Amino acid sequence: MESGPGISGRRANGEELSVDTRNDEPGSAAAAVPVSVSGSVSVPVSVPVSVPGQGSTHGPAPDPGHDPKPDPDPPAWRVLLAYVRPYRLWLLLGGALSLVTGATGLILPLAARRLIDNLGSHRSIAVEAMLMSLLVVGNAALGALGSYVLRRTGESVVLSARRNLVSHLLRLRISAVDRSEPGDLMSRVTADTTLLHEVTTSSLVGAVTGGLTMLATLTMMAVLDLVLFGVALAVLVLAATVIGLLVPRIHRAGKQAQESVGRMGAALERMLGALRTVKASGAELREEAAVHEAAEESWRASLRSAKWSAVAGNTAGLASQIAFLTVLAVGGGRVASGAIHIGTLIAFLMYVFYLMPPVQQLVSAVSEYQVGAAAVARIQEAHRLPTEPPVLPAPAEPGAPPAGLAFEDVRFRYAPDLPEIHHGVTVTIPPGGMTAFVGPSGAGKTTVFSLIERFYEPTAGRILLDGTDIRHWDLARLRAAIGYVEQDAPVLSGSLRANLLLGAPDATDAELRDVLVATRLDGLVARLPQGLETLVGHRGTKLSGGERQRVAIARALLRRPRLLLLDEATSQLDAVNEAALRDTVADAARTTTVLVVAHRLSTVTMADRIVVMDAGVVRAVGTHAELVSADPLYAELAATQFLAAVD
């Protein structure tokens, strides 16, 4: 590695230390690949191209927050067909049953006409009456079976869409999550996918079966009498024109309604996610007003959607009534003139009545399609959020040596419109031992850990693990080698055991007991009413801050990582527990590489090496004794920010 201006020195044990703080201009590049979600459609996103076992094949990382312009979304009907394709046989069966139901209904007017003709001729009507009874019962039975099959298909489509979307969200880049509202993403999984049920059954199937039934009905009407057929057709064409003008309004209103539901979910998640802060700040009424406003906006948008859908539906109903009255008037005249028989007029009027359901079905299908298309668009928006490369879980590597790490002129910013966090960070950390990162707030210490985990990609420079660029590592293998304790030590809702085994589900009971003792959690487990099976509450609210930190440390240690990252991992511990955890970390540093971000002098002074960061650069590396005399910033931190300076 070429060296630049910086700070260099030699440890007391003879170890060579060098720090480079060059300030070269960054470059960037991006790779775009299509990612296919099982059971759904492929969407192009910008991701590092990674082959399991081989790693990435791209060059410099893209600028965080910047993704290549995606291809246009496919039309909603194509996406819907992709969703229903795995269930096409069930869909075809439901559609066929619906068509048979419609066909049996079309026979009824003909049977009625014959029955009336027989009555007029004083002939027996027993056969016709029996036939009509069988048709009515059969029609109801087939209709019920067809409805069940279609509903089953709709629920299956919703399940598939939810599973695909959840899988996609779990692979999102952290930068994409940073730009999104969690409540809005949740509404896409819950509310938007629910609309797929109706749009895949009532809309797709309804459009086909309703259209075919209407076509068959019109054909039978034309066979009976062309004049009356022309009258009915003219009324339907006029109604179709009016409904066509309403369709764009229904689509816009449906999209606004779904977006407003997402905003309401985001507002609710914002409030519930910080409810203690809201209460402590006396802000309940203000937050209540904000959520109420979001709910009212959703209500107004839903009303607009309902209004235009109701207008379209009633337009179809009105057209059917007008067609009936017009046919009755014209048909009565034709019966009076002897052009047709009374039985023909009655049969035609029955067909007019039978024409109402498929017309209503078509109008409902159009309305639901417009609302469903808006939901599909929101689901596709979520699918187009950039993701990490799809990977399979990688097992831990017991007995693997500690990892060596190096940053080479690394630059990073969280978004193109934000300032750089790192301005050419260069530092080498040998395998094993403990390295502490110190510096003022905002120096970029936590970002170092995020880059190592590849939550974000550098805009320039390289990060090497064991001499290999981490972008060339398989992502699952990389993270399997790392144990990470975040600054806020998050704990998931569920049992204590589930939290501890989150990163090492195959850990044995003996390994779990050892880690509990090492992190001084064994006493907590003994006090809990259900031991390890005790539920810890949402975000671990049933645990204290220090207990949550110890759970997070235990979780990381169970992975037996080659590289352990501790970000302020003991900030909420009392002196006794901190001392015990320091011994645990020191013991871990004998077999793994430990990196800590710390502000407590007691933690920093036990480190084998200390990296001092300031304003996004590394300004010094050394031991506590070396840095107190060699670096003014560290000396100031040791005298003020830490508890006290010691030799």
Side-chain angles (χ1 to χ4, degrees), residues 307-564:
K307 176 181 68 176
W308 294 118
S309 296
V311 170
N314 280 279
T315 298
L318 179 62
S320 298
Q321 297 295 330
I322 293 174
F324 174 79
L325 294 175
T326 307
V327 167
L328 182 61
V330 175
R334 289 179 62 75
V335 170
S337 65
I340 59 174
H341 296 290
I342 183 65
T344 300
L345 176 59
I346 292 175
F348 200 98
L349 289 173
M350 289 185 69
Y351 277 124
V352 171
F353 275 113
Y354 276 102
L355 190 62
M356 292 181 187
V359 169
Q360 292 279 13
Q361 196 175 21
L362 277 175
V363 172
S364 177
V366 170
S367 299
E368 289 171 353
Y369 175 79
Q370 298 306 317
V371 175
V376 167
R378 283 173 48 79
I379 293 172
Q380 289 304 103
E381 286 175 3
H383 273 298
R384 293 182 72 86
L385 291 174
T387 60
E388 296 174 338
V391 294
L392 296 175
E397 301 177 17
L405 189 70
F407 277 60
E408 294 183 353
D409 196 27
V410 171
R411 295 174 176 272
F412 173 74
R413 54 161 50 93
Y414 283 101
D417 58 340
L418 295 177
E420 277 194 338
I421 303 298
H422 287 166
H423 305 278
V425 172
T426 299
V427 64
T428 299
I429 299 169
M434 175 177 168
T435 301
F437 285 79
V438 302
S441 297
K445 305 182 295 296
T446 296
T447 302
V448 167
F449 289 2
S450 295
L451 293 176
I452 294 172
E453 281 275 12
R454 286 194 66 190
F455 295 152
Y456 304 94
E457 303 288 351
T459 54
R462 298 192 306 166
I463 303 173
L464 307 179
L465 188 70
D466 293 338
T468 302
D469 192 325
I470 61 173
R471 289 172 296 190
H472 298 160
W473 277 69
D474 177 78
L475 190 57
R477 286 187 59 238
L478 173 70
R479 290 178 179 165
I482 300 172
Y484 181 32
V485 179
E486 299 175 60
Q487 199 169 67
D488 55 354
V491 173
L492 281 65
S493 177
S495 69
L496 181 58
R497 181 189 296 275
N499 271 278
L500 291 168
L501 298 179
L502 184 66
D506 298 326
T508 65
D509 289 342
E511 291 171 335
L512 185 56
R513 282 194 301 271
D514 291 342
V515 168
L516 290 174
V517 172
T519 54
R520 296 177 66 89
L521 283 171
D522 51 335
L524 170 66
V525 173
R527 292 194 306 270
L528 292 175
Q530 294 177 289
L532 287 172
E533 306 308 322
T534 302
L535 300 180
V536 297
H538 179 60
R539 298 183 179 178
T541 53
K542 296 181 180 180
L543 302 176
S544 69
E547 288 168 345
R548 287 197 295 271
Q549 284 193 321
R550 282 183 281 158
V551 168
I553 294 171
R555 185 167 57 205
L557 291 175
L558 267 178
R559 289 171 64 85
R560 290 179 292 175
R562 301 178 55 214
L563 178 62
L564 181 61

Side-chain angles (χ1 to χ4, degrees), residues 545-590:
E547 288 168 345
R548 287 197 295 271
Q549 284 193 321
R550 282 183 281 158
V551 168
I553 294 171
R555 185 167 57 205
L557 291 175
L558 267 178
R559 289 171 64 85
R560 290 179 292 175
R562 301 178 55 214
L563 178 62
L564 181 61
L565 310 178
L566 304 176
D567 190 357
E568 291 286 357
T570 61
S571 60
Q572 299 186 56
L573 297 182
D574 57 68
V576 175
N577 281 315
E578 184 195 5
L581 261 297
R582 280 203 308 269
D583 293 340
T584 299
V585 172
D587 184 61
R590 297 189 182 97

Side-chain angles (χ1 to χ4, degrees), residues 241-256 308 366-367 370-371:
T241 303
V242 174
I243 293 172
L245 297 175
L246 296 175
V247 165
R249 296 177 182 269
I250 297 173
H251 178 76
R252 285 196 299 270
K255 186 173 183 180
Q256 291 169 357
W308 294 118
V366 170
S367 299
Q370 298 306 317
V371 175

